[in-house]
Amino acid sequence: MSQTVAQGTIYLGVAQFLFIISGYSIHIGLGRILGPSLYGVYTVIVVLITVTVNNFLAYGIPQATSKYISEDASRAESVKRVAFEVQFLLSLIAFLTYFSLADFTASLLNDPELSKYIRISSVMIIPFAMLAVIASGYFNGLREYSKQSLAWIASYISKTILIFGFVLAGYSVLGAVLGFALAPFIGLIIALYFAGLPKKVEQFSRKKILLFALPVTLQIVLSQYITNIDILTLKALTKSPEEVGYYSAASMISKVPVSLLAALNMALFPVISATTYQNDVLKTRRYVSESLRYLLLLLIPATMMLSLTSDSVVTLLYSNNYLPAGRPLSVLIVGVFFFTLFAYFLNIIIAAGKPKVSMILSGMTLLLAFMLNLTLIPLFDMMGAAFATTISCLVGASVSALYTYRLFGILMYRLTVLRIIISTIAVLPILTLKVTGLLLLIQYAVSFLIYLLLLKLVGELKEGMFILR
């Protein structure tokens, strides 16, 4: 049974919440257990396979599947069969390529020891790819968000259990990488239980799926490198493994907003695809303006809170050993704020049938990020990486926002932005109070409640607000 965008955001929001909880439990736990050097190794391996391979397979074919099913549910089985076949072939090629290039990749990152971890992590490529095409493609296109969420939740929970099980059994970073690699098998079993194997029906056009998927895939890979090229470049240029660990901690904390955005993006994509396909301009504009409004209501205060309390949040989560991560985090969280907006606009542009535009915007922004990292890291070390990400994401968000405005003639009301900024500034004095430990969480809660109260007083929060359906 198809579900509304509001219901989908809730279901997928629960999945994303568990993704965040499991992901940060893993990173914080491993950071404390393994120490900065080995934790840095684990993070580099995860970033490498996620950005280079998994993102290549997680969005292109799945989003094409979702798009064509959402436009006409009667062809769901036909689209699923073709997508399943194409995705399996692509994932097999990706596995063989990634596995065979392990030594070469490790040498590029100036650490030959990474090759064995790269090969172990490659085990996850095929099951992850098939899980993505069923859960994020087939179920998402049918707007069966509950099944989509359940499959991913099974993978997230399994990952946590497997990683800590292997690490606590004494296998250190090797066990962490192995646990990470095995988790998608569980989610795939759940997804296949609900969806079943593809049936023998008249096949949908492979060419149509591939022509849509190719620019989407390239766009996703390019855009994800924007906020991960800093870690990889730092690993290649620095002589201090501890510094990679510190920056990894800052990077993981900064990416909370991106994780929260994913639920909204996944629920919004099939709806924007359908309304633009139906040429319903007014409804599309409402979805764009209202979803952006809710996004900024959460993102702006969250970014300011984390930036102003970066030292305290790092030591709370990772211990005092990671205090040097506080300074890059204070800058990087602002960069990820701009990247979150960038990703939001790219998702809408793709849903509107302009995947090539998103690909070009991502490529230009990545090129800028790479050049800035090469320039600034030798000069400023970790801070150079943080500034490189922030500047490039600001440029990408600005250009993509202008293009979205050109497409739909609207982003959101200026008065809304003004109210959000004023309410955020009003609570900043509370955040200047230096607190540590659990008192920091109380400080966040009080600040956010006052922020919501101020929004209510200025008329931004009121009953009967437009609800995405």
Side-chain angles (χ1 to χ4, degrees):
M1 180 184 295
S2 65
Q3 292 143 350
T4 67
V5 178
Q7 290 174 322
T9 303
I10 293 172
Y11 282 121
L12 297 175
V14 171
Q16 282 304 118
F17 176 74
L18 290 176
F19 168 74
I20 293 170
I21 293 298
S22 66
Y24 281 90
S25 296
I26 290 168
H27 278 279
I28 293 167
L30 292 180
R32 289 172 175 265
I33 296 170
L34 300 178
S37 296
L38 291 180
Y39 171 62
V41 170
Y42 171 80
T43 303
V44 167
I45 294 298
V46 170
V47 167
L48 191 62
I49 192 167
T50 299
V51 176
T52 306
V53 181
N54 287 356
N55 283 334
F56 177 78
L57 298 164
Y59 295 95
I61 301 300
Q63 280 201 328
T65 305
S66 173
K67 177 178 175 61
Y68 292 121
I69 290 177
S70 66
E71 291 176 354
D72 184 359
S74 66
R75 60 191 183 193
E77 286 300 320
S78 177
V79 173
K80 181 179 77 171
R81 179 177 175 83
V82 173
F84 204 89
E85 293 173 353
V86 173
Q87 183 81 330
F88 179 78
L89 178 60
L90 290 175
S91 63
L92 179 60
I93 295 171
F95 165 74
L96 295 174
T97 303
Y98 189 77
F99 187 90
S100 62
L101 291 177
D103 291 332
F104 175 73
T105 305
S107 66
L108 284 179
L109 295 174
N110 199 28
D111 188 353
E113 287 295 314
L114 292 179
S115 60
K116 62 182 178 183
Y117 302 122
I118 292 172
R119 289 192 175 94
I120 291 172
S121 67
S122 67
V123 172
M124 74 181 302
I125 293 174
I126 294 177
F128 176 85
M130 304 318 296
L131 170 59
V133 80
I134 298 172
S136 299
Y138 179 70
F139 290 144
N140 187 260
L142 292 174
R143 295 171 69 173
E144 293 183 352
Y145 301 117
S146 57
K147 294 177 181 178
Q148 177 182 353
S149 301
L150 187 58
W152 284 116
I153 287 171
S155 178
Y156 303 150
I157 293 175
S158 300
K159 179 171 63 176
T160 306
I161 295 172
L162 288 170
I163 286 176
F164 283 118
F166 285 130
V167 171
L168 294 177
Y171 293 99
S172 187
V173 69
L174 182 69
V177 174
L178 180 60
F180 179 80
L182 294 177
F185 284 95
I186 308 300
L188 178 58
I189 292 171
I190 300 297
L192 287 174
Y193 173 79
F194 287 118
L197 292 172
K199 300 176 182 177
K200 292 184 178 181
V201 294
E202 182 180 350
Q203 291 193 349
F204 189 74
S205 170
R206 285 190 178 88
K207 182 179 179 181
K208 199 169 185 179
I209 286 182
L210 286 170
L211 286 177
F212 182 87
L214 180 59
V216 171
T217 300
L218 292 175
Q219 178 267 317
I220 290 296
V221 173
L222 292 171
S223 66
Q224 290 301 311
Y225 260 114
I226 293 169
T227 54
N228 288 289
I229 195 68
D230 48 2
I231 293 179
L232 299 178
T233 308
L234 187 66
K235 173 66 177 174
L237 297 180
T238 187
K239 295 181 180 180
S240 170
E242 289 80 10
E243 192 164 279
V244 178
Y246 298 143
Y247 195 80
S248 296
S251 181
M252 292 305 108
I253 296 172
S254 72
K255 288 174 182 172
V256 171
V258 180
S259 301
L260 293 173
L261 167 71
L264 176 61
N265 269 352
M266 284 187 287
L268 197 60
F269 182 83
V271 179
I272 296 292
S273 295
T275 56
T276 53
Y277 180 73
Q278 297 159 6
N279 201 29
D280 192 338
V281 178
L282 291 178
K283 185 175 285 188
T284 304
R285 286 178 175 176
R286 290 172 68 197
Y287 283 127
V288 171
S289 62
E290 288 298 313
S291 57
L292 180 58
R293 177 190 179 208
Y294 297 141
L295 186 63
L296 291 180
L297 280 171
L298 294 174
L299 275 184
I300 291 178
T303 299
M304 290 300 101
M305 287 180 188
L306 288 173
S307 181
L308 291 174
T309 60
S310 57
D311 287 348
S312 298
V313 73
V314 164
T315 55
L316 172 65
L317 296 177
Y318 281 89
S319 80
N320 289 329
N321 293 332
Y322 286 81
L323 183 59
R327 288 185 65 236
L329 174 59
S330 66
V331 175
L332 191 58
I333 187 66
V334 179
V336 174
F337 164 75
F338 291 124
F339 176 78
T340 306
L341 293 178
F342 182 50
Y344 166 84
F345 290 126
L346 292 184
N347 184 64
I348 290 178
I349 292 169
I350 293 171
K354 306 287 184 179
K356 292 181 181 178
V357 175
S358 290
M359 179 185 69
I360 293 170
L361 291 174
S362 297
M364 293 172 61
T365 306
L366 174 59
L367 179 60
L368 176 60
F370 183 57
M371 293 172 62
L372 288 173
N373 273 287
L374 288 178
T375 303
L376 298 179
I377 288 176
L379 296 174
F380 305 107
D381 298 319
M382 290 189 297
M383 292 303 295
F387 279 117
T389 298
T390 300
I391 295 169
S392 57
C393 290
L394 170 60
V395 173
S398 301
V399 176
S400 60
L402 288 173
Y403 188 84
T404 303
Y405 181 79
R406 179 185 172 188
L407 277 179
F408 303 112
I410 190 172
L411 288 179
M412 64 183 301
Y413 300 112
R414 296 176 184 174
L415 185 57
T416 290
V417 178
L418 182 61
R419 287 169 175 170
I420 293 173
I421 292 175
I422 291 174
S423 300
T424 301
I425 292 174
V427 300
L428 293 185
I430 300 174
L431 298 170
T432 60
L433 300 174
K434 297 295 182 182
V435 297
T436 58
L438 295 179
L439 288 176
L440 180 65
L441 301 180
I442 297 174
Q443 186 183 43
Y444 286 161
V446 171
S447 299
F448 194 71
L449 287 174
I450 294 175
Y451 165 75
L452 293 177
L453 177 61
L454 291 172
L455 287 179
K456 179 75 173 178
L457 291 175
V458 298
E460 189 57 35
L461 293 183
K462 51 191 174 184
E463 295 182 5
M465 290 193 305
F466 175 77
I467 298 176
L468 298 174
R469 296 186 181 278

